[in-house]
Amino acid sequence: MGQRHGSGSGLRQAEAVIVERYPQLLRLAYLVLPPDLDRHTRLLRAHRAVQHSLRAAGRRARQGGDPLTAVRAEVVRHAAGGLRGPLPPWVWGLRMWPSAEGLEEEARKVTGLTPYARAAFVLCRFDGLDEETAAAVLAQAGAGDPAGGVRAARAAGSGPGAAVAAPGAADAPGAEPGSPEGPGGNAGPRPGSEAVLHPADVHTRPTDLLLRRTRVRAAWGAAAVLLLAAGLTGATATGPDAGLPAPYAGAPAARAVLDPARLVRVSAQTWSDTGRVDFTAWPARGPRTGDRSLLARALGTWAAPTSATVVTTAPSASAEPPEHPPQLLFAGDPEPGTAVAVLLDADRIVRYTERGGRRTLDIARTDDADVTTAAAVTLTRDAGTSRRLLAPWIATAGVRDLTAPATAVRPLPIGPDGTVTTEFPGTGGGGAAGADRARDGGCGPRPVLEVASSPRIVEKHAFLLADLGGLLPVHLTYTPPVEGSDVPPARQPREATGPAALARWAQESCALGEVDGRAVRAVNLWDFAVTELPESTGRAVWSCTRATHWSGRGDVRIRLRPPAGASLTVAQAESTAACGRFGQHVLAATLWRAPSGRSYQLAAGSREVAEIDATGSLVTRTPGRTLAVPAPAAPAPPAALTARLHSGAVITALDARGGGRD
């Protein structure tokens, strides 16, 4: 779309640009927005950025500016600012995320860039702008160093597969990405445009499908009560917005979010007759679920926390206020002098706490929670004591020390409101202190909850939950090794409550100190190979511990457990598919010193590995899934290890820095 000067309305010109190029503008906003936002929030804010760019872009166009440049600049300006607050569009009852494959990969490429550098990346890579034109857009958007932003974008786009689109290739006006373009009718985007990577096409899933009728009836009932009260008492001197946080004043739809009467409340028996067993099936529990004042303070603090409010958000969780009435899970006093309210907003759970005149908010993600990962929430945590609210489907609960697998579970009484109190030395959570204890081999007791589901959900189902310092406990699982000369069948993670699982977790329990419990939903310990050590030293177990985040990210740590002594960390990787559902093939290697003092090159692969090759300072080829040969004398450089799968594919070993891939 070219420049349109003259007497035409700048507003209409800007509107035409937005309508014709909406997917491309949406992509620009989506990738400029903070990458730590969840996909649903980022998508909504991207729509806001594009739609709210209209008036300012129209003014620029009316003053003689290019409408397309003006719209792009306004989209960048809005997205770079984050667009916080209860602005439309709002989505009720659905969670959305872009369906375009590869869009999140592009977002990860620009994670470390400034918002304006991210904008330059999109403008050059996808929209086909040259560097000078992209810098002009950034300057118009308010960037302090437009040229610097373009240089940073160019550096980020210099890796494999980062070819920049041909100028103008992605900007065919009026053409839908993936549709026939022009008279030739050639389907699909033009070469180099990568126009299919936009967030305009979305996947959706319901957040409250089974609760929709309850929510609607509650909302209309509350509205009727408010209207009746208004009719009886008349208007107040301070007006309808008195006492409301500033962002909500004057916005009736947003004001309704803060009304405690509109909180969603679920029947106590919903969990036993639903196909969705997660936090949405939790009833409202606690002695203060009818305390309107407490609930109003919780909602108001969430909507507009003061500078005195301590707000803690889990990694990649959004602190944005709710866009519709949340679901009430708990309101009460878990301990004297402490009031707590727990609310659920789609894929977020929020704990509001009042203690000693201070207010705190803790926000965590709950994406795709299930029977196990929605089984408990921490209400309070003090030195040696934790109080938790259990899911309504939890029938029994107990505590055990993960470092003492032979010790029996100590039963815990479950209160009538679903709460349990655990008096046990704290774990201290994850972080640097936990990592230090793990390295020293003296991490101390590791208390975990062992809970069992009601047979109305699933029979004979017990599982472990570890408190690693987050709002939600972490689900622990175990995958045992497979042995045999042929290709054994794959094994799936199982609950870590059997003797073998408990014995192995006792050996690896110190590694939990390195897990960020605020971000992680589950940790699986996978013993993927068993090695006969040289010099008749015994058998060692190769394991991969995968911490799966609520965001979907997976971090892995591969360890070698010799028959005596502590486990050795030999490789690690972040944000990887390795050791998960989509990364079932793994190879790891390390140097190992025998009691004789001689060094050996060890390597092991998962069940599909047919042979292992070493090149470089060590040249050897060994059939099977394990390798153990004398290592070259120091100071030889490390050997390069690869493995051939039975399918013929070749994989490389994960190294200590996380390298290695298919």
Side-chain angles (χ1 to χ4, degrees), residues 7 16 132 173 244 403 521 576 603 614:
S7 59
E132 182 179 354
L244 287 174
T403 65
R521 60 182 293 171
T576 177

Side-chain angles (χ1 to χ4, degrees), residues 314-330:
S316 74
S318 168
E320 184 176 352
E323 295 179 345
H324 54 77
Q327 179 180 338
L328 178 62
L329 304 185
F330 178 84

